[in-house]
Amino acid sequence: MNQPFFENIEPIKYEGPESESNLAFRYYNPDEIVLGKRLEEHLRFAVAYWHSFAWEGGDPFGGFTFERPWHPQDNMKNAYLKADVAFDMFNLLGQPYFCFHDADVRPDQGNFPDNLATLNEISDYFFDKMKNQKTKLLWGTANMFSHRRWMAGASTNPDPEVFAFAAATVKSCIDVTHKLGGENYVLWGGREGYETLLNTDLERELDQMGRFLSMVVDYKHKIGFPGMILVEPKPQEPSKHQYDFDVATCIGFLRKYNLEDDVKINIEQGHAILAGHSFEHEIALAVSEGMLGSIDMNRNDYQSGWDTDQFPNNTPEVALAYYHIIKGGGFQAGGTNFDAKLRRQSIDAEDLIAAHVGAMDICARGFKAAAAMVEDGHLEKALQERYEGWKSKEAQNMLNSDLTTITDNVLKNSINPEPKSGKQEKLENHINRFV
Ligand code: XLS
Ligand code: NI
Ligand code: NI
């Protein structure tokens, strides 16, 4: 199919920090070796199909602004055109991965058999395209939040028929992800939550969600899907209360249903902010529990209170996130998915490319800063020094004793601790040497 959507745009190249071009990488050189590995293999960038190609630019006060050639997205002809444009963009950017929901790539047919047939049809088309270009699938997922059938939840729905439709939908999406060699499968519970307890049996709904996820894990093993299963926390929006509130809540949930070995976590910057955390807090917590799977990289407006999904544009924030990812051993099957969308006034085809180029550059810059911070070692050393006291035998023994013994010791040795500086500003100043 011949379409002129990205007219006059050449494949994006690395030109270095001095480049004057709007459409060149200044920091992202995929072949640069950082910490012994190519940058491309560290960062594992993915483009999100939904924001870049399915979203039409509407907001609660106004309609669509984008008017792409593949709109309206209600027929398969336009689904094919959209796929052509998407894979053209992947070629221009050269990022190694993409991610998609079923609903991004084919129109909803209003019933399961037709949804299944069209998903299989368009994913066969992807399969052929992926034979001819380097783009791989980071993860697949099911959109079980847009269509009205999901309004009261998918697996947590009061209606068992919706649970059944959800199970069949997820099975079809795992099958397609497997067919395309996807490296992960994500479940984000957009409607898995509630508006009011007046009509919600919270305990029952959580049990339904636990059973559902267990079936997903069983199915993954049954078909030999080698990818990771990931859940993605978010505190609210679209539901008032989402069950997968944040990383800590997800870990508690996964442990309760004995799923912590089979399911890891996909952490999104904006969702961390909405939950009242920093991105690095969520990452560090997941790393410390062995639960980090992948990240959805974006930027949230700090004032709005809703999910703004902006492209990242803040090196210090990104650097601290990658610092904790590197300290955790880096990505295994996961990667950096740009779960980010244009502002609705950015209607040009070139805006889509520029947004990704800038985002890839910011991530590369942040990642290299983080790697330098790791190599420099000052932060790690300061951290070790702060906990130095715990290295002594007495301190370690105390952790295995009891309150009475400790009290006796406090009295006997007149223990009276002298406060020590936390040196926060000095440490923050140190970060500024790298970002
Ligand atoms: C929405 C979520 C969504 C998931 C995939 O807020 O971030 O985009 O990443 O369903
Ligand atoms: Ni996301
Ligand atoms: Ni989001």
Side-chain angles (χ1 to χ4, degrees):
M1 208 176 286
N2 232 350
Q3 36 63 43
F5 189 67
F6 293 115
E7 242 174 344
N8 303 325
I9 298 178
E10 295 300 313
I12 309 302
K13 293 200 187 64
Y14 171 72
E15 292 183 4
E18 307 305 322
S19 171
E20 292 289 324
S21 166
N22 278 328
L23 295 181
F25 297 122
R26 291 186 176 74
Y27 299 92
Y28 180 59
N29 173 5
D31 294 320
E32 181 176 342
I33 303 293
V34 181
L35 299 173
K37 203 157 89 177
R38 290 175 63 250
L39 207 45
E40 182 179 80
E41 290 162 41
H42 277 296
L43 289 163
R44 299 166 58 82
F45 288 136
V47 166
Y49 212 97
W50 52 103
H51 286 316
S52 289
F53 307 108
W55 186 55
E56 299 177 335
D59 75 4
F61 299 91
F64 307 155
T65 56
F66 289 148
E67 302 187 340
R68 305 300 195 206
W70 56 92
H71 294 167
Q73 299 173 81
D74 58 1
N75 62 71
M76 283 303 278
K77 185 171 161 279
N78 282 345
Y80 279 103
L81 174 60
K82 182 164 53 170
D84 288 339
V85 173
F87 278 80
D88 276 354
M89 186 169 96
F90 305 159
N91 262 335
L92 292 175
L93 292 172
Q95 96 290 346
Y97 293 101
F98 76 116
C99 301
F100 70 92
H101 303 80
D102 51 355
D104 307 331
V105 300
R106 54 104 187 96
D108 198 290
Q109 311 286 308
N111 66 78
F112 183 71
D114 291 335
N115 276 356
L116 179 65
T118 47
L119 179 65
N120 286 337
E121 181 185 327
I122 197 77
S123 57
D124 283 342
Y125 192 58
F126 286 7
F127 187 88
D128 288 337
K129 284 181 173 291
M130 290 164 74
K131 279 197 288 205
N132 300 319
Q133 70 185 66
K134 76 172 217 181
T135 322
K136 292 178 286 181
L137 180 61
L138 186 64
W139 46 265
T141 189
N143 175 331
M144 300 196 294
F145 42 88
S146 293
H147 192 278
R148 63 197 291 276
R149 78 174 66 85
W150 310 119
M151 68 181 187
S155 70
T156 62
N157 204 289
D159 179 353
E161 290 200 346
V162 179
F163 185 100
F165 204 110
T169 298
V170 167
K171 178 186 176 297
S172 71
C173 290
I174 297 177
D175 286 341
V176 159
T177 301
H178 190 32
K179 173 174 80 182
L180 297 177
E183 299 187 25
N184 306 272
Y185 183 83
V186 167
L187 296 108
W188 169 62
R191 305 270 172 200
E192 310 292 33
Y194 62 87
E195 296 301 313
T196 171
L197 280 178
L198 295 174
N199 64 13
T200 303
D201 181 344
L202 184 147
E203 186 182 351
R204 177 195 289 270
E205 293 201 356
L206 281 165
D207 282 344
Q208 282 176 210
M209 195 161 96
R211 262 314 286 150
F212 190 89
L213 199 50
S214 303
M215 290 182 200
V216 169
V217 167
D218 289 346
Y219 187 66
K220 160 203 148 97
H221 289 306
K222 184 178 161 198
I223 63 169
F225 172 61
M228 279 196 295
I229 303 291
L230 307 175
V231 292
E232 182 178 322
K234 184 173 182 181
Q236 79 263 345
E237 197 196 347
S239 316
K240 166 90 181 107
H241 301 269
Q242 303 239 152
Y243 292 132
D244 283 343
F245 192 94
D246 59 2
V247 167
T249 312
C250 284
I251 292 175
F253 172 83
L254 294 173
R255 290 211 176 117
K256 178 175 178 195
Y257 296 97
N258 297 316
L259 292 164
E260 70 272 26
D261 293 336
D262 285 295
V263 182
K264 304 294 172 196
I265 303 180
N266 182 40
I267 305 173
E268 178 164 324
Q269 199 275 358
H271 300 179
I273 305 308
L274 291 175
H277 301 302
S278 65
F279 195 20
E280 66 268 24
H281 164 85
E282 291 289 79
I283 292 170
L285 182 62
V287 164
S288 76
E289 301 279 339
M291 296 299 283
L292 177 70
S294 196
I295 62 168
D296 273 4
M297 180 58 92
N298 56 25
R299 173 169 53 112
N300 214 66
D301 188 291
Y302 285 100
Q303 295 164 310
S304 68
W306 65 85
D307 189 12
T308 59
D309 285 336
Q310 288 162 267
F311 282 89
N313 192 17
N314 182 330
T315 308
E317 257 181 17
V318 167
L320 286 178
Y322 282 123
Y323 181 73
H324 289 281
I325 289 170
I326 295 172
K327 284 206 349 176
F331 293 126
Q332 307 302 318
T336 303
N337 171 46
F338 293 116
D339 197 347
K341 60 180 182 231
L342 295 171
R343 297 308 88 191
R344 66 196 286 276
Q345 298 177 50
S346 305
I347 57 177
D348 295 345
E350 193 184 85
D351 291 323
L352 209 43
I353 304 287
H356 284 92
V357 170
M360 289 159 83
D361 249 356
I362 279 290
C363 289
R365 196 173 177 180
F367 186 90
K368 287 195 268 188
M373 278 153 38
V374 169
E375 280 176 328
D376 161 79
H378 179 87
L379 288 175
E380 184 58 31
K381 190 161 156 272
L383 198 64
Q384 294 301 327
E385 279 168 13
R386 191 158 190 234
Y387 293 88
E388 195 61 37
W390 283 100
K391 291 192 182 129
S392 76
K393 217 192 189 139
E394 298 77 49
Q396 287 304 309
N397 286 344
M398 176 169 68
L399 292 178
N400 295 316
S401 73
D402 57 79
L403 294 186
T404 314
T405 315
I406 296 173
T407 305
D408 290 348
N409 190 37
V410 167
L411 290 170
K412 195 174 122 216
N413 292 308
S414 314
I415 288 179
N416 194 8
E418 195 55 52
K420 296 185 189 79
S421 172
K423 304 185 197 316
Q424 181 169 336
E425 295 76 6
K426 282 176 79 177
L427 295 166
E428 286 168 351
N429 293 350
H430 190 79
I431 301 278
N432 282 339
R433 296 191 201 176
F434 299 91
V435 295

